[in-house]
């Protein structure tokens, strides 16, 4: 990848619009700021290294717990851009910018109703625009990104996004398009099993007027074919998959409160070393509750093993059960290896910082935090590598 | 709303039922007329209230049920339920936002601008 390139004005202009495929209802405001354009032109130096992380998740966009944990690991709280559209889906912190891929819908809610497609269908998304803008941000060029307003269901005028150090693209199709996939430095897929999805949606929607058990069920069933056809296959491309399943510790549990979470980590990914328990590459089954640690029902169970996932070598770390107390968490952390923490107890500290987030007492919170630390490690390694490469090139 | 009964002339003005959080605003006038073309839609970019979203969710569920009564596997049915899902997600986000924020506007302002006079704190 070119480390320092100067962009011509022509290329810069190409990031400011994008009305190619849209109907006349969607109009983008043209920002005429010639001075700032020229400033960007000359400011494209080699010092900005942007890494791009892709996160595939069904519902939630930029406001999800995973994003908040991730941005917290890097420091600073991520907030919507100040003074802009209040329904913007973007989150910005000091180091990270989270972009919601729903903003690249080519059809708004009414267009989709007309064409009879769901948001999951690739026909409702503009992958060309997605690819161009992610590429531009990765190379240090600011873009005018459209906004998809989830409340009105329309496409709002675009907002300016500055290239950040870490760019996270979150949505339904981060790994769908091959070109976008190649731009990703790390990708994560959040795989929620059907039972857990049903339980979570019930918790979320039963408070809403008009919703009933049948309507929630019907909604999930109706989306399932499109989901299985377009979203699910992205699993095979992810570097890390977080699978959320119902617990095996409580027979016939259908509340979905206790979860079994599996962190499937691909082997051989550059700058990413999987977390392991006791002995790398072996199969371990571990119940920490016993003499040294007392846990309440249903307790905690860990599993670690090498496996094969879609013809890739992977390592799987699994946690079933819940944390009740702080010392359980620190006990578990002290026995896991390759966590990429900067000091002892960092995982526990991060979990405690967000004790009110959902999943803070089970594997979802734990593995999301660990993935966040792994991404930080990846970022630092990448920067260090680029720095040494540049130093050597300068010497030569 | 009022009837002018004094002079025997009763002019019944249309009763405007104002929903608690609906904001009616005039079309936006621009100082830069060359931008007029791009403001055709005159959408007021304001965050919609929570009541509005809940109503939308309810309406969309009814619509979906009706659409699917005819043909449960058609594209329209699937698209309708997808819309329900999208609106439910938006409603739950709005609820969370309201629970989390919705506090003191001064606190929010001070989080963003801690150095202003109103927000400075002296600990010693």
């Amino acid at each position: 990848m070119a480390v320092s390139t100067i962009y011509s004005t022509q290329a810069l202009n190409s990031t400011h619009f994008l009305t190619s495929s849209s109907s006349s209802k969607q109009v983008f405001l043209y920002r005429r700021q010639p001075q700032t354009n020229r400033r960007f032109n000359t400011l494209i130096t080699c010092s900005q290294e942007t890494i791009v992380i892709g996160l595939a998740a069904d519902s939630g966009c930029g406001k999800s717990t995973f994003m908040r944990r991730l941005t917290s690991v890097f420091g600073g709280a991520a907030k919507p851009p100040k003074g802009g559209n209040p329904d913007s889906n973007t989150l910005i912190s000091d180091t990270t910018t989270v972009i919601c891929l729903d903003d690249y819908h080519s059809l708004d809610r009414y267009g989709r109703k007309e064409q009879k497609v769901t948001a999951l269908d690739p026909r409702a998304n503009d992958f060309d625009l997605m690819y161009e803008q992610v590429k531009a941000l990765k190379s240090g060029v600011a873009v005018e990104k459209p906004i998809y307003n989830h409340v009105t269901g329309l496409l709002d005028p675009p907002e300016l996004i500055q290239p950040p150090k870490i760019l996270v693209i979150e949505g339904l199709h981060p790994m769908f398009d091959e070109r976008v996939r190649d731009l990703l430095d790390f990708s994560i897929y959040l795989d929620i099993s059907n039972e857990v999805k049903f339980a979570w949606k019930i918790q979320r929607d039963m408070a809403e007027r008009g919703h009933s058990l049948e309507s929630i069920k019907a909604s999930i069933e109706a989306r399932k074919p499109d989901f299985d056809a377009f979203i699910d296959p992205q699993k095979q491309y992810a570097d890390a998959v977080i699978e959320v399943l119902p617990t095996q510790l409580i027979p016939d549990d259908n509340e979905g409160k206790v979860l079994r979470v599996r962190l499937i980590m691909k082997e051989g990914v550059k700058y990413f070393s999987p977390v392991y328990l006791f002995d790398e590459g072996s199969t371990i089954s571990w119940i920490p509750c016993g003499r040294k640690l007392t846990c309440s029902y249903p307790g905690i169970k860990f599993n670690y093993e090498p496996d094969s996932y879609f013809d890739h070598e992977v390592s799987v770390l699994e946690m079933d059960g819940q944390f009740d107390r702080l010392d359980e968490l620190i006990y578990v952390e002290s026995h896991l290896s390759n966590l990429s923490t900067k000091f002892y107890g960092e995982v526990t500290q991060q979990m405690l910082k967000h004790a009110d987030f959902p999943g803070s007492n089970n594997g979802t919170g734990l593995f999301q935090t660990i993935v966040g630390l792994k991404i930080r490690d990846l970022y630092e390694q990448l920067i260090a590598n680029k720095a040494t490469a540049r130093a050597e090139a300068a010497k030569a | 709303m009022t009837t002018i009964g004094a002079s025997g002339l009763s002019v019944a003005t249309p009763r405007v039922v104002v929903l608690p959080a609906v904001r009616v605003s005039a079309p936006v006038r621009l100082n830069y007329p060359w931008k007029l073309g791009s403001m055709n839609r005159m959408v007021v970019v304001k965050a919609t209230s929570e009541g509005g979203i809940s109503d939308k969710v309810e309406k969309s569920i009814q619509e979906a049920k009706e659409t699917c009564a005819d043909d449960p596997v058609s594209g329209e049915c699937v698209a309708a339920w997808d819309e329900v899902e999208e609106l439910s997600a938006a409603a739950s986000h709005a609820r969370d936002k309201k629970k989390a924020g919705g506090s003191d506007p001064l606190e929010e302002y001070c989080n963003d601008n801690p150095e202003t006079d109103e927000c400075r704190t002296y600990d010693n």
Side-chain angles (χ1 to χ4, degrees), chain A residues 29 59 85-86 109 112-113 116-119 148 151 155 201 204-205 208-211 215 218-219 222-223, chain B residues 38 41 45 47-48 54-56 58 61 63 76 78-79 81-89 91-92 95:
Chain A
L29 275 178
S59 39
N85 188 336
R109 200 178 290 156
R112 274 179 272 141
K113 214 188 318 208
K116 305 184 197 138
V117 294
T118 60
Y148 177 76
V151 174
L155 283 157
K201 295 227 162 133
R204 185 190 74 180
D205 291 336
E208 280 296 324
R209 266 180 292 143
H211 256 306
S215 67
S219 170
R223 292 172 90 235
Chain B
S38 47
R41 222 185 322 124
V45 180
T48 317
S54 290
D55 292 336
K56 282 192 184 169
E58 214 181 338
I61 297 176
E63 263 183 54
E76 286 126 339
V78 176
W81 282 120
D82 187 44
E83 198 179 318
V84 169
E85 164 62 33
E86 195 192 336
L87 283 166
S88 308
S92 96
R95 256 182 284 137

Side-chain angles (χ1 to χ4, degrees), chain A residues 27-81:
Chain A
V27 181
F28 294 126
L29 275 178
Y30 275 58
R31 296 274 216 95
R32 298 227 277 120
Q33 297 168 326
Q35 281 94 358
T36 44
N37 277 358
R38 246 171 263 132
R39 248 196 278 135
F40 283 145
N41 212 352
T42 51
L43 259 188
I44 298 171
T45 59
C46 319
S47 57
Q48 172 74 306
E49 311 286 1
T50 303
I51 68 163
V52 186
I53 313 284
L55 172 64
D58 190 3
S59 39
C61 224
K63 300 168 179 104
S64 64
T65 321
F66 197 161
M67 278 305 104
R68 288 188 282 170
R69 279 194 209 275
L70 198 60
T71 44
S72 162
V73 163
F74 294 115
K79 289 189 273 259

Side-chain angles (χ1 to χ4, degrees), chain A residues 56-118:
Chain A
D58 190 3
S59 39
C61 224
K63 300 168 179 104
S64 64
T65 321
F66 197 161
M67 278 305 104
R68 288 188 282 170
R69 279 194 209 275
L70 198 60
T71 44
S72 162
V73 163
F74 294 115
K79 289 189 273 259
K82 281 196 262 276
N85 188 336
D87 289 325
S88 160
N89 304 307
T90 314
L91 286 183
I92 301 186
S93 79
D94 301 326
T95 43
T96 323
T97 293
V98 183
I99 285 184
C100 175
L101 290 179
D102 284 353
D103 291 333
Y104 293 112
H105 280 329
S106 50
L107 299 170
D108 61 17
R109 200 178 290 156
Y110 305 97
R112 274 179 272 141
K113 214 188 318 208
E114 253 178 87
Q115 306 273 344
K116 305 184 197 138
V117 294
T118 60

Side-chain angles (χ1 to χ4, degrees), chain A residues 71-186:
Chain A
T71 44
S72 162
V73 163
F74 294 115
K79 289 189 273 259
K82 281 196 262 276
N85 188 336
D87 289 325
S88 160
N89 304 307
T90 314
L91 286 183
I92 301 186
S93 79
D94 301 326
T95 43
T96 323
T97 293
V98 183
I99 285 184
C100 175
L101 290 179
D102 284 353
D103 291 333
Y104 293 112
H105 280 329
S106 50
L107 299 170
D108 61 17
R109 200 178 290 156
Y110 305 97
R112 274 179 272 141
K113 214 188 318 208
E114 253 178 87
Q115 306 273 344
K116 305 184 197 138
V117 294
T118 60
L120 306 161
D121 198 310
R123 286 174 286 169
N125 296 287
D126 188 350
F127 289 106
D128 294 325
L129 178 60
M130 193 192 293
Y131 168 62
E132 279 183 43
Q133 295 208 332
V134 173
K135 188 161 120 184
L137 284 169
K138 188 164 181 168
S139 338
V141 178
V143 299
E144 290 272 1
K145 179 191 61 72
I147 299 178
Y148 177 76
N149 191 321
H150 281 100
V151 174
T152 60
L154 300 164
L155 283 157
D156 286 344
E159 59 184 348
L160 183 68
I161 304 286
Q162 301 286 356
K165 293 204 189 105
I166 297 162
L167 175 69
V168 183
I169 56 174
E170 183 189 11
L172 295 162
H173 306 96
M175 298 168 261
F176 186 84
D177 188 89
E178 199 178 337
R179 303 165 294 175
V180 180
R181 218 185 300 150
D182 291 335
L183 292 172
L184 299 176
D185 293 297
F186 193 73

Side-chain angles (χ1 to χ4, degrees), chain A residues 6-7 17 62 75 83 86 111 209 219 223-224 240 247 257 265 275 287 293 325 330 333 346 363 375 384 390:
Chain A
I6 312 262
Y7 279 80
F17 56 85
R209 266 180 292 143
S219 170
R223 292 172 90 235
K224 205 159 184 303
T247 181
K257 293 243 161 72
M265 298 164 281
V275 183
I287 298 177
L293 188 71
R325 303 187 319 272
I330 194 87
E333 183 182 347
E346 190 174 11
I375 293 177
R390 239 178 289 130

